[in-house]
Amino acid sequence: MATQVKMENVDRISNLPDSILGYILSFLSTKEVVATSILSSKWRYLFALVSNLDFELDESSQMLKISTIKSFMCFVDRVLFFHNTANINAFRLRCGKRVDSDRVYGWISAAIWRGVKHLGLSISLDNFTLPGVLFTCTTLITLKLETNLVLNVPKDVCLPNLKILHLKSIMFPNDDSVESLVCSCISLLELIICNCSTKKCNISHNSLKVLEIIRSVLYGSLVIDTPALAYFNYTYCVATEYSLKNLQSLIRADIAFLDIRFDSHQTKATAFFEGISNVNILVLSSTSLKLLKCCEPLPIFPKLLHLKLYCDYHNFERGVANLLTDSGRLQSLFFYQEALTNLPERVPHCILYQLKVIEISGFMTNKDCIGKAKYFLENATVLMKLIIRTVPFLSEEQKSRIYQQLMASPSKSKQCCILVV
């Protein structure tokens, strides 16, 4: 019995090797990790073994005490002080204007000096300048900046191992800022630009695979030359000029233009959509579809396999019909029923021989909607699934009637499954 009691009092966790303890601690938040230092003398400095540091001060409350801010700054100082010999794998900092900017500068510099690989900064400091060593850091693999600042990219910028770059709420004052930054990242695979503003956006890169430009103000031209690009997201942006080339590897493009005066953007629209015409999967918003209709000539998408249209506009039969006509390899089609006002008199090749999945949204019980669904059933010879997504106010009984009408309709495909949801 005495032996059993003695064994139960053994601290087995503390006897584990430091490397294993550090691994266990890596699953906790930085604040929780540091709190373990009060457990015993063995644990007092173990938090220094953790290589992922995450600091966040929520300054949204006006009632935030000065003592809380000071406590936060001292906490970050303490953690970084005990990391004076250890490498940092990931460093994330989120704070606002009430934190001392000099200390923020020092924290970022300390993380870089300790070989940080993944750096995430979400800071809102007036007239703040990022440390110069950030732009020549050879260990960085991921850099995510959300800073509400003017970013002056130094001429000697060099980030040779950076693979992921996210930029949010940044203003680039010089024409070549974006180009200089992107070109300095020779290993870059993913670039996201969100809520930024720049005079000129030139993105030329041989290895970039993912590019997203979201809600950003482009005062000048947008130049994209990315032969390895596989995914492109362009949301709520308009540039004065477009040059998109060497996008032969493009697999998917999600396009959502701002609601603009379409009649004055014909040339720009044509250049844009011709640049992405090699895409396999195309997702278009209603405004993008309207802009595509303005193109002259209408671009041909010879490799398009999947088309998804978010549209609630009327009288776009030319745009939709021509997309179907000029996309002979199309296998799946998702669209809002009002995007297709008039059905093509000459059945497109893709409907006859290629389309396997069709999904129609905004479906109602009127003859027009039923007619569109029947058109596809009567002509699509290899159709495997027809999905009807009804408007929210339809009852289960009305949905059932739609299903019965479509099931009673002649179908060219003998293996088509009809779903009404």
Side-chain angles (χ1 to χ4, degrees):
M1 181 67 69
T3 303
Q4 183 178 355
V5 173
K6 184 177 180 180
M7 291 299 292
E8 288 176 352
N9 290 332
V10 173
D11 185 354
R12 295 184 182 278
I13 294 181
S14 294
N15 288 332
L16 292 172
D18 287 354
S19 59
I20 295 180
L21 290 174
Y23 177 74
I24 294 172
L25 290 175
S26 68
F27 292 94
L28 303 177
S29 68
T30 303
K31 189 174 182 179
E32 291 170 330
V33 169
V34 176
T36 64
S37 62
I38 66 173
L39 294 177
S40 68
S41 57
K42 163 77 173 179
W43 288 80
R44 186 174 182 183
Y45 301 120
L46 278 179
F47 68 84
L49 297 175
V50 178
S51 60
N52 296 333
L53 303 179
D54 192 337
F55 304 102
E56 180 172 355
L57 178 65
D58 185 3
E59 298 185 44
S60 58
S61 175
Q62 296 295 325
M63 303 299 291
L64 188 66
K65 296 180 180 180
I66 296 177
S67 60
T68 303
I69 299 172
K70 289 183 177 180
S71 177
F72 171 80
M73 293 189 291
C74 291
F75 173 71
V76 179
D77 286 342
R78 181 188 175 202
V79 175
L80 287 176
F81 173 77
F82 284 107
H83 264 277
N84 59 348
T85 58
N87 285 336
I88 296 177
N89 177 62
F91 181 83
R92 177 180 173 269
L93 175 64
R94 185 181 183 89
C95 61
K97 297 181 179 180
R98 301 171 70 180
V99 175
D100 180 42
S101 60
D102 290 336
R103 290 170 96 161
V104 173
Y105 188 98
W107 297 337
I108 299 171
S109 300
I112 294 170
W113 291 332
R114 290 172 179 81
V116 65
K117 294 180 180 178
H118 308 280
L119 180 62
L121 302 175
S122 180
I123 52 181
S124 301
L125 295 169
D126 294 331
N127 302 316
F128 182 73
T129 302
L130 291 168
V133 290
L134 171 63
F135 297 97
T136 55
C137 181
T138 58
T139 59
L140 269 182
I141 296 175
T142 303
L143 177 59
K144 298 181 180 181
L145 296 177
E146 182 181 356
T147 58
N148 292 310
L149 56 75
V150 176
L151 186 61
N152 290 293
V153 180
K155 294 182 179 180
D156 63 343
V157 57
C158 182
L159 301 167
N161 294 304
L162 193 70
K163 294 183 178 180
I164 298 174
L165 178 60
H166 294 184
L167 304 169
K168 186 175 181 180
S169 303
I170 292 174
M171 187 179 80
F172 295 94
N174 302 318
D175 287 354
D176 58 351
S177 294
V178 175
E179 182 179 8
S180 299
L181 184 58
V182 172
C183 289
S184 72
C185 309
I186 58 175
S187 303
L188 194 64
L189 299 176
E190 176 179 305
L191 173 62
I192 297 179
I193 300 174
C194 181
N195 288 332
C196 296
S197 62
T198 179
K199 295 180 180 178
K200 184 179 180 181
C201 191
N202 190 335
I203 301 171
S204 299
H205 203 284
N206 289 328
S207 63
L208 190 68
K209 293 184 179 297
V210 175
L211 174 60
E212 298 187 42
I213 305 176
I214 304 168
R215 294 187 299 272
S216 294
V217 179
L218 309 178
Y219 295 105
S221 60
L222 173 63
V223 178
I224 299 176
D225 186 351
T226 49
L229 194 68
Y231 175 66
F232 179 41
N233 179 6
Y234 190 74
T235 302
Y236 300 144
C237 309
V238 178
T240 59
E241 185 180 352
Y242 292 101
S243 176
L244 283 67
K245 54 186 178 181
N246 293 326
L247 302 184
Q248 60 268 19
S249 301
L250 192 61
I251 296 175
R252 173 168 176 153
D254 288 43
I255 311 300
F257 275 93
L258 285 169
D259 192 1
I260 56 176
R261 286 187 57 210
F262 298 97
D263 55 347
S264 61
H265 289 79
Q266 183 185 83
T267 302
K268 290 193 294 184
T270 303
F272 181 91
F273 284 107
E274 284 182 350
I276 64 170
S277 60
N278 282 320
V279 70
N280 298 144
I281 304 169
L282 182 60
V283 181
L284 296 176
S285 69
S286 55
T287 48
S288 302
L289 180 60
K290 191 171 184 178
L291 193 59
L292 176 60
K293 179 179 179 285
C294 296
C295 294
E296 191 61 46
L298 195 72
I300 296 175
F301 296 88
K303 299 181 180 179
L304 190 62
L305 300 176
H306 309 282
L307 175 63
K308 192 167 188 175
L309 304 173
Y310 292 102
C311 185
D312 53 4
Y313 282 100
H314 297 272
N315 302 320
F316 277 85
E317 66 277 4
R318 175 181 177 270
V320 178
N322 282 22
L323 272 175
L324 297 176
T325 301
D326 297 332
S327 305
R329 298 174 60 188
L330 195 66
Q331 295 180 6
S332 66
L333 173 65
F334 303 78
F335 69 98
Y336 191 87
Q337 59 90 9
E338 291 190 19
L340 188 61
T341 306
N342 294 330
L343 299 170
E345 294 182 7
R346 183 176 179 180
V347 183
H349 179 274
C350 67
I351 296 179
L352 287 172
Y353 306 111
Q354 297 293 330
L355 269 176
K356 297 178 180 179
V357 179
I358 298 174
E359 181 175 312
I360 307 175
S361 300
F363 208 88
M364 294 182 284
T365 57
N366 57 49
K367 291 183 179 180
D368 184 53
C369 286
I370 298 296
K372 292 172 186 176
K374 286 184 175 181
Y375 175 84
F376 290 107
L377 287 172
E378 293 169 0
N379 293 288
T381 59
V382 296
L383 188 63
M384 300 182 69
K385 187 181 291 185
L386 174 63
I387 304 170
I388 304 298
R389 295 196 178 276
T390 61
V391 290
F393 54 80
L394 287 192
S395 65
E396 291 301 318
E397 182 181 350
Q398 289 173 309
K399 292 179 184 179
S400 178
R401 283 202 295 267
I402 293 174
Y403 176 78
Q404 292 169 5
Q405 284 182 277
L406 297 181
M407 286 298 294
S409 175
S411 177
K412 273 285 182 68
S413 174
K414 302 305 179 184
Q415 54 185 351
C416 180
C417 173
I418 300 175
L419 299 176
V420 179
V421 295

